[in-house]
């Protein structure tokens, strides 16, 4: 824990950052606040916006709270904003977009104004029951964590911090305004939010909060799959996902929302003949993140997280003392599809992640020998548009501490990528097709559309993969020879 001087210095630094950030958005925030004031209402910047301002990372998304009811908010916002939407009005939230000039640049602000409220779940409902409050203090006590329970009243810029959020922010710790049990009873999803903020902000979670998460883990079942998915995405896409995932596993929450992850804690046999699959998975996730390049990639990160989930179901102790996980990639792909579907992920993402899980061992199946043209074509064809991600996932899956072995695997994959590039120059690997299309097949064989056309197409595709492109006459000859054999 920091000493008194360090704490005072940290508080001073976050306050300085906040002043700088709030001055940056002042033209928009103050203008809106004056309109609420003229209508007889109060307005305050609140929650994540204040927290991010104090951290020096306030963006163009601004959250406000007010004593005005939603219909009054709409009346104030519509003449002022460039666009207004009320999809969240049932929860007391009105959204808006406002274009404004800040300094020398034009900015587009995404704004949400929410009426003072309190909300709680009952034990049979998946949706919060919303009731409106009459004071900002009443609103703040219902917030999830103290670092999100601060506000700045506008336009006077009066700082409101009844629960010591500024101190907790300086100490980088997550606590709840009231008791954790009350907070998590109000909305059990807050238990996942604790893990998400730990991962996003690299904060520690207070011991009493962790204890409540362990005691109340089962309450997460009342939350809808969609809300859990959205929170999980934010966690996985954060800078420190290991921190959040470990907290979910340690508190037992992962056993309800992503049970395949804690299941990777396989019991080690007495001779330790296989590595810790859970720890290996978290390392693979971090190594995949290091290869992303253009920002967080949800598909790649999910594939890294789920790539070995088939191992618990396929583990076998062989007679020679080895431990095997035969076909765990096939089993894992099916498990990934089932879990992601249950969490309501989009079909395309489910398909891509499952395919990456299925293919993540393909490279090792070829051994360390020279890659043939045929093997390269099939590897590229099977990966399709996921080839770049498969490269990253396969490289990330090497977590051996044996430097010579790791270097050999890296060189082998370098060679594969070189072979792909070489063949790419000669052939269109990204769109491998037979040398004759369906219409040509029907014309040459004198047949109508039907199963035979598909079989012929598949045969020519196999020839293309095995031997590379053929001249037209050569392809026609091969087709006729195949057809004659079918007739015989």
């Amino acid at each position: 824990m920091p000493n008194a001087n360090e704490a005072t210095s940290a508080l001073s630094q976050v306050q300085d950052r906040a002043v700088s950030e709030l001055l940056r958005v002042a033209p928009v925030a103050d203008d809106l606040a004056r309109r609420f004031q003229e209508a007889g209402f109060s307005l305050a910047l609140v929650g994540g916006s204040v927290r991010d301002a104090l951290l020096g990372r306030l963006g163009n998304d601004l959250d406000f709270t007010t004593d005005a009811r939603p219909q009054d908010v709409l009346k104030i916002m519509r003449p002022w904003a460039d666009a207004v939407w009320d999809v969240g009005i049932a929860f007391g939230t009105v959204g808006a977009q406002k274009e404004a000039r800040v300094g020398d640049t034009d900015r587009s602000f995404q704004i949400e104004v929410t009426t003072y409220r309190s909300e709680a779940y009952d034990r049979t409902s998946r949706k919060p029951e919303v009731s409106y409050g009459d004071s900002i203090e009443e609103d703040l006590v219902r917030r999830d964590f103290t670092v999100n329970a601060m506000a700045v009243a506008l336009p006077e810029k009066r700082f409101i911090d009844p629960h010591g959020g500024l101190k907790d922010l300086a100490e980088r710790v997550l606590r709840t305004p009231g008791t954790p049990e009350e907070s998590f009873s109000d909305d059990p999803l807050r238990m996942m939010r604790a893990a998400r903020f730990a991962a996003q902000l690299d904060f520690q979670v207070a011991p009493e909060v962790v204890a409540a998460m362990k005691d109340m883990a089962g309450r997460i079942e009342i939350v809808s799959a969609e809300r859990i998915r959205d929170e999980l995405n934010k966690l996985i896409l954060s800078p420190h996902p290991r921190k959040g995932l470990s907290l979910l596993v340690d508190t037992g929450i992962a056993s309800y929302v992503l049970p395949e992850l804690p299941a990777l804690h396989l019991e080690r046999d007495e001779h330790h003949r296989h590595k810790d699959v859970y720890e290996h998975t978290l390392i693979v996730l971090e190594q995949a993140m290091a290869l992303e390049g253009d920002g967080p990639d949800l598909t790649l990160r999910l594939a890294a997280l789920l790539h070995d989930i088939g191992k618990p179901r396929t583990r076998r102790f062989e007679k020679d003392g080895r431990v095997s996980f035969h076909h765990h990639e096939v089993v894992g792909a099916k498990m990934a599809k089932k879990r992601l579907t249950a969490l309501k992920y989009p079909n395309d993402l489910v398909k891509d992640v499952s395919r990456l899980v299925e293919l993540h061992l393909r490279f090792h199946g070829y051994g360390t020998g020279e890659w043939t043209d045929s093997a390269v074509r099939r590897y590229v064809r099977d990966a399709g548009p996921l080839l770049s991600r498969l490269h990253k996932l396969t490289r990330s899956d090497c977590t051996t501490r044996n430097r010579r072995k790791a270097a050999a695997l890296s060189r082998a994959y370098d060679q594969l990528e070189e072979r792909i590039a070489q063949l790419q120059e000669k052939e269109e690997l990204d769109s491998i097709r037979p040398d004759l299309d369906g219409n040509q097949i029907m014309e040459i064989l004198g047949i109508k559309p039907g199963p035979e056309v598909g079989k012929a197409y598949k045969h020519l595709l196999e020839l293309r993969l095995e031997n590379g492109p053929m001249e037209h006459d050569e392809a026609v000859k091969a087709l006729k020879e195949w057809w004659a054999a079918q007739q015989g």
Side-chain angles (χ1 to χ4, degrees):
M1 295 290 287
N3 61 38
N5 289 335
E6 289 173 338
T8 300
S9 176
L11 285 171
S12 177
Q13 288 174 12
V14 294
Q15 287 171 320
D16 288 346
R17 282 197 296 265
V19 170
S20 174
E21 291 289 278
L22 293 174
L23 286 173
R24 183 175 65 80
V25 302
V28 174
D30 289 352
D31 186 19
L32 184 60
R34 279 191 290 271
R35 291 173 181 270
F36 273 79
Q37 199 173 50
E38 289 167 2
F41 300 110
S42 301
L43 187 73
L45 196 69
V46 73
S49 291
V50 176
R51 179 200 70 221
D52 288 345
L54 291 165
L55 291 172
R57 45 178 278 176
L58 180 62
N60 292 338
D61 293 351
L62 304 179
D63 295 329
F64 297 91
T65 189
T66 181
D67 55 350
R69 295 300 189 254
Q71 293 303 324
D72 293 316
V73 174
L74 282 172
K75 290 178 184 177
I76 297 169
M77 299 280 281
R78 278 183 172 142
W80 175 80
D82 296 300
V84 174
W85 50 91
D86 59 4
V87 291
I89 201 164
F91 299 99
T93 299
V94 175
Q97 179 179 337
K98 178 68 174 179
E99 305 291 332
R101 190 160 188 82
V102 178
D104 297 327
T105 59
D106 293 320
R107 292 183 179 272
S108 178
F109 290 91
Q110 302 296 315
I111 292 168
E112 285 192 351
V113 180
T114 303
T115 302
Y116 298 157
R117 68 185 184 188
S118 61
E119 60 184 40
Y121 278 77
D122 64 35
R123 293 218 166 245
T124 60
S125 174
R126 286 183 176 271
K127 294 183 178 180
E129 296 177 349
V130 176
S131 58
Y132 299 128
D134 296 316
S135 71
I136 193 167
E137 288 77 17
E138 184 182 359
D139 179 85
L140 293 178
V141 77
R142 310 301 302 198
R143 301 269 165 170
D144 51 7
F145 302 105
T146 60
V147 295
N148 296 329
M150 298 177 283
V152 177
L154 300 171
E156 66 271 26
K157 296 188 175 56
R158 176 173 56 89
F159 187 56
I160 305 171
D161 181 23
H163 306 290
L166 186 61
K167 179 175 180 292
D168 287 343
L169 192 72
E171 295 178 357
R172 305 181 70 80
V173 64
L174 285 174
R175 303 184 195 278
T176 52
T179 68
E181 290 78 10
E182 288 174 335
S183 182
F184 298 156
S185 291
D186 281 352
D187 184 354
L189 187 68
R190 290 174 174 176
M191 295 186 288
M192 286 194 67
R193 285 169 65 84
R196 188 251 288 189
F197 284 126
Q200 266 187 347
L201 305 174
D202 196 19
F203 278 23
Q204 298 300 316
V205 181
E208 69 274 13
V209 176
V210 174
M213 291 170 69
K214 289 179 179 179
D215 291 342
M216 302 178 68
R219 281 284 283 148
I220 199 69
E221 289 188 295
I222 201 69
V223 181
S224 69
E226 291 86 352
R227 295 185 75 213
I228 288 173
R229 174 205 62 210
D230 292 346
E231 204 60 49
L232 191 60
N233 284 350
K234 293 172 184 176
L235 189 162
I236 292 171
L237 291 171
S238 69
H240 309 281
R242 170 193 278 265
K243 194 165 189 174
L245 292 168
S246 297
L247 183 59
L248 291 182
V249 170
D250 294 344
T251 56
I253 293 170
S255 296
Y256 295 94
V257 301
L258 194 65
E260 295 80 6
L261 186 59
L264 294 176
H265 271 308
L266 294 175
E267 292 181 11
R268 304 293 295 277
D269 66 282
E270 58 181 332
H271 301 294
H272 300 286
R273 292 190 183 93
H274 64 84
K275 68 181 78 175
D276 182 339
V277 183
Y278 172 74
E279 177 63 22
H280 163 76
T281 294
L282 296 180
I283 293 173
V284 171
L285 172 59
E286 290 177 325
Q287 293 186 167
M289 290 167 56
L291 296 176
E292 282 173 330
D294 296 328
D297 182 341
L298 181 62
T299 300
L300 177 63
R301 293 192 184 192
L302 282 170
L305 188 62
L306 302 177
H307 79 284
D308 271 350
I309 60 172
K311 279 191 170 180
R313 290 190 184 179
T314 58
R315 184 171 68 156
R316 298 289 183 272
F317 294 98
E318 305 294 352
K319 291 180 180 180
D320 62 2
R322 292 182 303 108
V323 178
S324 68
F325 304 96
H326 293 310
H327 305 301
H328 76 267
E329 73 280 13
V330 177
V331 173
K334 293 177 181 176
M335 292 172 65
K337 180 179 180 181
K338 183 177 180 181
R339 175 55 52 199
L340 295 177
T341 300
L343 287 170
K344 309 292 186 182
Y345 276 93
N347 290 336
D348 286 348
L349 185 140
V350 173
K351 181 179 177 182
D352 287 349
V353 172
S354 302
R355 186 64 170 154
L356 285 168
V357 172
E358 183 181 0
L359 292 175
H360 83 272
L361 285 185
R362 184 68 61 88
F363 164 73
H364 300 283
Y366 287 101
T368 56
E370 176 70 20
W371 282 69
T372 64
D373 287 354
S374 173
V376 173
R377 291 188 196 102
R378 291 176 189 278
Y379 193 83
V380 173
R381 188 276 307 266
D382 291 346
L386 297 172
L387 183 62
S388 175
R389 288 187 174 112
L390 183 58
H391 288 333
K392 295 171 184 176
L393 178 60
T394 304
R395 287 185 180 277
S396 303
D397 196 24
C398 175
T399 61
T400 179
R401 294 180 183 177
N402 185 321
R403 290 187 179 181
R404 290 180 62 185
K405 184 178 179 182
L409 283 169
S410 181
R411 284 196 303 272
Y413 210 86
D414 287 343
Q415 290 168 4
L416 170 59
E417 292 203 47
E418 288 171 11
R419 295 281 293 111
I420 291 173
Q422 290 167 3
L423 212 55
Q424 193 82 275
E425 289 183 12
K426 295 190 252 180
E427 309 174 19
E428 293 182 13
L429 291 187
D430 293 336
S431 55
I432 294 178
R433 296 184 180 86
D435 297 283
L436 301 172
D437 62 26
N439 290 327
Q440 290 171 311
I441 290 170
M442 289 188 288
E443 182 180 347
I444 292 166
L445 299 182
I447 59 176
K448 295 180 179 179
E452 292 85 359
V453 179
K455 292 177 183 177
Y457 187 93
K458 185 176 181 181
H459 174 70
L460 290 175
L461 178 58
E462 284 298 315
L463 290 179
R464 170 74 173 79
L465 289 166
E466 191 65 33
N467 305 314
M470 290 188 289
E471 297 292 338
H472 179 79
D473 291 346
E474 187 182 1
V476 171
K477 179 183 177 183
L479 174 63
K480 288 181 177 179
E481 288 176 352
W482 173 83
W483 183 246
Q486 298 298 304
Q487 303 309 304

